[in-house]
């Protein structure tokens, strides 16, 4: 996979700084629970972050969900580069996977999901009808990594706050069945990662979007990695947001941002941690512009 920028141009892979790994113990239990419930479901609705659609896909879901019908929701599509969103829709279609751009926070795109579920599961529904089975709902598992927006999606889809939500990874702890209507039931599952990221760049991208606990990360290093990536792919984004010119190193750029934003400790020392939090929060909130850090290869 290679990153993309506006207009579909492709650039080199971003450099990776520190080592990014996170797999807390409760995820083993959550993975086991997911595996046990797969026999009960017809469809997997997998949420990914539209800014990193491959890095935010758990390979365990692919393995465990073999033989199940699939829908991929490109969540937070409003934060991602529109051109890259179009590329990703084409990419998934070529793989025979139905993809849909959504914004769980506002509900944009979610109304189309009901019809898409019926389309994807048409053969199953017809098979039930031929067997004389009527009013059996499609049972769909909502899956994804931490902090990708599963609970917010379900609340928006159902139309009421029926699940817990939060802006930190790991809010959903156990399974929850939600009956949408006579034709659809949803199983909400905890967000899980996989035990080891073979490619450290994947861990870095997950840290950018907040899927790895910030408390175990050196935020100054994370911000420098993020500035390096954004500076390569969207060279004007940082200058437009902070009024600073990209320097030779990301550390120098971060220091300039600290000065401009008045991030100071006692004795006029720069508070780089505060500046790092500003940069990561601005990226996660879309205030640096619509940015995608991966694009389909080929």
């Amino acid at each position: 996979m290679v990153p993309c920028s506006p207009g579909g141009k492709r650039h080199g892979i971003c450099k990776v700084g520190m080592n990014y790994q996170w797999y807390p113990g409760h995820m083993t239990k959550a993975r086991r629970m997911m595996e046990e419930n797969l026999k009960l479901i017809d469809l997997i609705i997998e949420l990914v972050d539209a800014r990193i659609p491959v890095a935010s896909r758990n390979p365990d879901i692919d393995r465990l969900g073999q033989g199940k019908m699939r829908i991929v929701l490109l969540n937070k599509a409003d934060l991602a580069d529109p051109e890259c969103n179009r590329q990703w829709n084409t990419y998934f279609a070529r793989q025979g996977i139905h993809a849909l751009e959504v914004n769980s926070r506002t509900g944009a795109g979610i109304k189309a999901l009901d019809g898409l579920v019926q389309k994807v599961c048409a053969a199953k529904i017809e098979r039930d009808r031929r067997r004389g089975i009527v009013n059996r709902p499609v049972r769909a598992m909502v899956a994804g990594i931490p902090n990708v927006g599963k609970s917010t999606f379900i609340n928006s889809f159902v139309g009421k706050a029926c699940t817990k939500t939060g802006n930190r990874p790991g809010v959903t702890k156990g399974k929850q069945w939600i009956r949408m209507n006579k034709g659809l039931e949803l199983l909400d599952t905890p967000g899980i990662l996989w035990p080891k990221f073979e490619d450290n760049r994947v861990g870095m991208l997950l840290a950018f979007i907040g899927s790895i606990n910030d408390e175990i990360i050196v935020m100054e290093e994370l911000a420098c990695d993020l500035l390096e990536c954004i500076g390569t792919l969207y060279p004007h984004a940082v200058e437009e947001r902070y009024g600073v010119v990209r320097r030779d190193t990301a550390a120098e750029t971060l220091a300039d941002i600290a000065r401009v934003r008045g991030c100071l400790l006692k004795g006029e020392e720069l508070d780089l941690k505060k500046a790092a939090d500003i940069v990561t929060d601005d990226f996660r909130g879309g205030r640096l512009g619509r940015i995608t850090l991966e694009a389909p290869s080929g």
Side-chain angles (χ1 to χ4, degrees):
M1 307 307 297
V2 291
C4 82
S5 65
K9 296 179 182 179
R10 295 190 171 102
H11 303 270
I13 298 297
C14 299
K15 296 178 182 178
V16 184
M18 63 179 163
N19 185 47
Y20 296 92
Q21 296 289 337
W22 186 54
Y23 191 72
H26 74 269
M27 288 189 183
T28 299
K29 181 179 179 181
R31 181 183 177 280
R32 192 178 303 119
M33 184 200 76
M34 178 182 291
E35 193 168 8
E36 290 170 353
N37 282 280
L38 277 167
K39 61 182 178 291
L40 304 176
I41 61 106
D42 309 298
L43 168 71
I44 296 176
I45 299 175
E46 181 184 5
L47 271 77
V48 302
D49 192 302
R51 295 167 294 183
I52 54 167
V54 164
S56 58
R57 295 192 76 192
N58 186 337
D60 283 347
I61 295 175
D62 270 340
R63 188 181 65 80
L64 296 173
Q66 286 184 358
K68 300 292 182 180
M69 292 170 284
R70 304 288 290 275
I71 292 175
V72 168
L73 299 184
L74 295 165
N75 196 28
K76 305 182 183 180
D78 59 307
L79 303 181
D81 187 322
E83 173 59 27
C84 292
N85 286 342
R86 287 189 285 272
Q87 292 178 26
W88 279 112
N89 274 304
T90 301
Y91 168 85
F92 284 115
R94 286 174 178 168
Q95 292 197 8
I97 297 174
H98 293 270
L100 186 65
E101 295 176 36
V102 300
N103 176 353
S104 295
R105 184 176 50 82
T106 65
I110 288 179
K111 286 185 178 179
L113 181 58
D114 225 342
L116 185 57
V117 168
Q118 297 301 308
K119 177 181 177 181
V120 171
C121 297
K124 179 263 180 195
I125 296 169
E126 176 62 18
R127 190 165 56 248
D128 284 349
R129 188 190 65 79
R130 289 177 180 175
R131 292 173 179 172
I133 303 171
V134 293
N135 296 326
R136 174 187 282 179
V138 171
R139 306 192 89 188
M141 175 183 286
V142 181
I145 64 171
N147 211 37
V148 80
K150 296 184 306 302
S151 295
T152 302
F153 153 71
I154 290 177
N155 291 345
S156 184
F157 191 31
V158 176
K160 61 180 184 235
C162 60
T163 66
K164 293 181 179 180
T165 62
N167 60 0
R168 67 186 190 279
V171 171
T172 304
K173 298 298 184 184
K175 69 177 181 179
Q176 302 180 69
W177 278 104
I178 300 103
R179 188 171 182 86
M180 284 288 303
N181 49 53
K182 291 182 179 180
L184 179 62
E185 291 183 354
L186 301 179
L187 173 61
D188 187 23
T189 59
I192 58 171
L193 295 171
W194 51 109
K196 181 175 175 58
F197 308 134
E198 298 300 331
D199 182 355
N200 193 41
R201 180 176 170 274
V202 169
M204 178 184 73
L205 294 174
L206 294 178
F208 289 166
I209 66 169
S211 291
I212 294 177
N213 192 342
D214 285 344
E215 294 178 3
I216 69 165
I217 290 173
V218 180
M219 295 302 292
E220 296 92 321
E221 293 188 32
L222 177 68
C224 285
D225 283 343
L226 180 57
L227 288 169
E228 181 75 29
C229 284
I230 293 174
T232 300
L233 306 175
Y234 299 84
H236 302 296
V238 170
E239 182 176 358
E240 290 173 359
R241 177 64 179 170
Y242 305 112
V244 301
V245 178
R246 186 186 183 196
R247 300 284 292 275
D248 291 337
T249 69
E252 291 174 312
T253 304
L254 182 63
D256 286 346
I257 293 171
R259 292 187 188 94
V260 168
R261 287 303 177 97
C263 301
L264 300 173
L265 298 169
K266 290 183 179 179
E268 298 298 301
E269 180 183 353
L270 294 177
D271 189 344
L272 296 179
K273 169 63 166 60
K274 184 175 181 179
D277 289 342
I278 289 172
V279 170
T280 53
D281 286 347
D282 280 352
F283 167 71
R284 292 170 183 175
R287 290 180 289 276
L288 286 168
R290 298 185 66 170
I291 290 174
T292 297
L293 301 177
E294 289 184 316
S297 56

